[in-house]
Amino acid sequence: MIFSFRYSYIVLCVGIAAVFFWFGIDKFFHPAYWLDAWVPAWAVSGAATFGVTGTQFIYVNGILEVLIGLSLISGVFVRLFSALGVILLIAVLFVIGLNEIAVRDFGLIGGLLAVFLWPDRR
């Protein structure tokens, strides 16, 4: 009974949610690190054209990541937030390029696509 689609789905969602919670919450505690280490200057200046500071950009990203994690744990709007997670991670790949972080993001994209495409959960 432990080898079922139901438990597989739960483990998949909890595992992905843990990653999104970790990185999303960390953005509130260390926004300067995220801004200095991972966000290129052109992205900060692009956000500034909309009146958004770099720190606000990091906070919005953190909020989105926490919401993705909450959705995966709660089961509410899972398809919507898994799709938003895929879009977010593709944007991250575009912004930071292909590097060692991209390997993690490819795995998360695959997991989120599996959640998005999972058969009806009723």
Side-chain angles (χ1 to χ4, degrees), residues 72-112:
L72 292 170
I73 293 293
S74 68
V76 177
F77 300 119
V78 174
R79 284 205 165 106
L80 170 67
F81 280 100
S82 60
L84 287 174
V86 169
I87 293 166
L88 173 68
L89 291 171
I90 289 171
V92 168
L93 289 173
F94 174 74
V95 170
I96 67 168
L98 297 176
N99 57 26
E100 65 276 2
I101 301 303
V103 174
R104 177 206 63 203
D105 292 344
F106 282 128
L108 288 171
I109 288 170
L112 286 171

Side-chain angles (χ1 to χ4, degrees), residues 1 3-4 9 13 28 33 39 68 73 79 86 93 98:
M1 187 66 183
F3 297 104
S4 71
Y9 180 78
C13 286
F28 292 101
Y33 163 76
V39 181
I68 291 168
I73 293 293
R79 284 205 165 106
V86 169
L93 289 173
L98 297 176

Side-chain angles (χ1 to χ4, degrees), residues 40-79:
W42 63 265
V44 175
S45 63
T49 61
F50 297 103
V52 177
T53 67
T55 303
Q56 290 170 332
F57 179 76
I58 294 298
Y59 286 153
V60 168
N61 195 12
I63 290 168
L64 181 57
E65 290 176 353
V66 169
L67 287 175
I68 291 168
L70 283 173
S71 172
L72 292 170
I73 293 293
S74 68
V76 177
F77 300 119
V78 174
R79 284 205 165 106

